[in-house]
Amino acid sequence: MRAETEAVVNDIKQSLTLLRRHLDPDRVKSRLADLDALAEAPNFWSDPARAQGLMRERQQLEAALSSFTRIARELDDNIELVELGEEEGDESVISEAESALKKLRAEAHKREVEALLSGEADSNDSYVEIHAGAGGTESQDWAQMLERMYMRWAEGRDYKVEIIGEHPGEEAGVKSAIILIKGANAYGWLKTESGVHRLVRISPFDSNARRHTSFASVSVYPAVDDTIAIDIDDKDVRIDTYRSSGAGGQHVNTTDSAVRITHLPTGIVVQCQNERSQHKNRATAWAMLRARLYEAELKRREEEAQAAAAAKSDIGFGHQIRSYVLQPYQLVKDLRTGMESTNPLAVLDGDIDRFIEAALAERIHAEQPST
């Protein structure tokens, strides 16, 4: 076996070893058997919230075990193909197997990172909130580009995306946008995306074709369900209703259906204007407020546990996490990990896994106890 191929095989084996350690296939099989037995009980659905939680756990465990088993099987199959091709001197068979092994290594690494998403809220759905920085149309257009990037990323993973609200810019783009991404480990994957994103390009809105720098902030927080208790006193909130903004015409909202909720102790503000019904907007806004308060509590715990990690996750317009340069050269660089891509158009089309995985790996490494 060629040295390069042997290195790929060893990388996959190392990932499988780590996966086996975190997954513990025997424990997962035992737990799946227990969950199947629970699901067959006649009163299983008498508590819908509990039943849904158990079914979600079963789905996630089954998917993780299936993925681990398949990677191990495909590794053995492709090693055999390489050895067979070498015995018969068939270079095409060797090349095909080597190509498959490289793809398998990338997947094994991704599953390895995913297996380490064991935070309290990592398995939850995720809100992504985007705000344009100073700079008017330039930054508003950039905010909308980021919104599209995350939507494309989610669609590539077969996640569901809901636009909770958009505040359109005067000429183009959005002043702010909130999307809800639904899927396994959505928050775990996206949590390191919080921070300021910087764009450098020749402005399409500048008649003199000058280079402009734009900023937008991204905040990521986990969606919460009824199984997570978030107590909010009525005296701690202020609820305002107002008329939704829109493009006008026959679809303009002529009633005060938009809802803004301010949590006075923390200063957290959420708003929703996506629905025509004030009742639906109010329900969505309350769900968002509970999610924001939950995320704040998770962050407080993280700060107490690891001050150094918390310093990296502070959010503000002074904290840039990634730079996207379209002119005079093409480069996307994560300022925390050093990860780069010379294909910013692909990145803006949702190809951000390498940045996410690098940031997660660095955070996981930082959280490991020193030996």
Side-chain angles (χ1 to χ4, degrees):
M1 186 180 295
R2 297 167 182 166
E4 181 183 355
T5 304
E6 190 171 351
V8 172
V9 168
N10 288 335
D11 284 347
I12 298 172
K13 287 181 177 179
Q14 183 178 14
S15 290
L16 284 172
T17 298
L18 291 169
L19 281 169
R20 185 180 290 109
R21 185 183 306 158
H22 287 277
L23 184 64
D24 191 351
D26 292 336
R27 180 192 62 81
V28 170
K29 290 175 184 177
S30 175
R31 179 58 177 163
L32 284 172
D34 291 343
L35 291 170
D36 286 341
L38 288 171
E40 291 172 2
N43 63 342
F44 179 70
W45 288 101
S46 61
D47 184 346
R50 176 177 176 272
Q52 289 173 1
L54 291 174
M55 293 303 291
R56 184 163 55 245
E57 179 188 355
R58 188 192 184 286
Q59 182 182 21
Q60 291 171 353
L61 288 175
E62 188 174 46
L65 182 61
S66 175
S67 177
F68 172 82
T69 303
R70 180 178 54 78
I71 290 172
R73 183 182 66 249
E74 290 186 11
L75 173 63
D76 291 340
D77 290 347
N78 283 289
I79 289 175
E80 289 181 9
L81 277 177
V82 170
E83 293 172 347
L84 179 64
E86 289 175 341
E87 288 177 6
E88 298 182 354
D90 191 333
E91 187 63 33
S92 64
V93 170
I94 297 173
S95 178
E96 182 179 346
E98 288 177 338
S99 177
L101 284 168
K102 289 178 181 177
K103 291 180 180 178
L104 195 62
R105 176 174 61 178
E107 182 181 355
H109 173 69
K110 183 176 294 186
R111 298 304 175 195
E112 178 188 336
V113 174
E114 192 169 32
L116 297 174
L117 296 178
S118 56
E120 181 178 330
D122 283 351
S123 63
N124 292 31
D125 298 336
S126 183
Y127 289 102
V128 178
E129 188 168 338
I130 303 164
H131 291 271
T137 302
E138 290 292 339
S139 293
Q140 291 161 18
D141 187 53
W142 173 223
Q144 189 167 54
M145 291 167 67
L146 285 173
E147 179 188 18
R148 178 184 180 277
M149 181 182 80
Y150 289 116
M151 292 176 70
R152 294 285 291 169
W153 174 83
E155 291 162 1
R157 285 177 167 264
D158 293 324
Y159 287 172
K160 294 181 179 179
V161 180
E162 293 181 14
I163 298 177
I164 301 299
E166 287 183 336
H167 188 184
E170 286 86 358
E171 297 180 28
V174 294
K175 293 179 180 177
S176 63
I178 304 173
I179 58 176
L180 175 60
I181 296 178
K182 296 182 175 182
N185 291 319
Y187 175 68
W189 280 114
L190 287 168
K191 62 185 180 183
T192 58
E193 288 296 289
S194 289
V196 174
H197 298 244
R198 169 178 175 261
L199 173 70
V200 179
R201 64 172 175 175
I202 301 296
S203 170
F205 306 101
D206 188 332
S207 58
N208 294 317
R210 290 172 294 190
R211 193 162 66 245
H212 284 249
T213 300
S214 306
F215 298 90
S217 69
V218 174
S219 299
V220 178
Y221 47 97
V224 297
D225 56 31
D226 293 336
T227 63
I228 299 173
I230 306 293
D231 295 325
I232 306 173
D233 290 338
D234 290 342
K235 64 181 178 60
D236 288 339
V237 299
R238 184 179 71 244
I239 302 176
D240 301 306
T241 58
Y242 58 98
R243 186 165 299 177
S244 300
S245 59
Q250 62 178 333
H251 301 294
V252 69
N253 201 326
T254 57
T255 62
D256 292 340
S257 62
V259 175
R260 180 189 298 111
I261 303 178
T262 303
H263 188 249
L264 302 174
T266 61
I268 292 174
V269 180
V270 297
Q271 54 189 7
C272 183
Q273 61 175 27
N274 204 41
E275 302 288 346
R276 290 178 177 271
S277 162
Q278 184 184 119
H279 176 73
K280 290 181 179 179
N281 284 332
R282 184 182 293 256
T284 300
W286 271 110
M288 290 167 60
L289 178 59
R290 293 175 66 243
R292 289 287 299 275
L293 290 172
Y294 182 50
E295 189 265 346
E297 171 63 17
L298 292 176
K299 188 175 180 183
R300 183 189 66 78
R301 295 179 199 172
E302 180 184 350
E303 288 171 347
E304 290 180 354
Q306 179 54 267
K312 296 176 184 177
S313 62
D314 286 343
I315 301 170
F317 278 91
H319 178 65
Q320 297 178 35
I321 67 166
R322 193 173 304 142
S323 178
Y324 307 69
V325 181
L326 303 185
Q327 283 101 7
Y329 53 89
Q330 296 204 330
L331 180 70
V332 179
K333 181 173 182 177
D334 195 290
L335 306 180
R336 302 160 299 175
T337 65
M339 178 62 67
E340 296 182 352
S341 170
T342 56
N343 189 353
L345 295 182
V347 172
L348 292 171
D349 203 35
D351 184 14
I352 58 175
D353 277 354
R354 72 184 74 182
F355 298 101
I356 291 174
E357 290 170 12
L360 282 171
E362 182 170 280
R363 173 179 284 199
I364 291 166
H365 177 74
E367 291 172 353
Q368 297 300 314
S370 57
T371 55

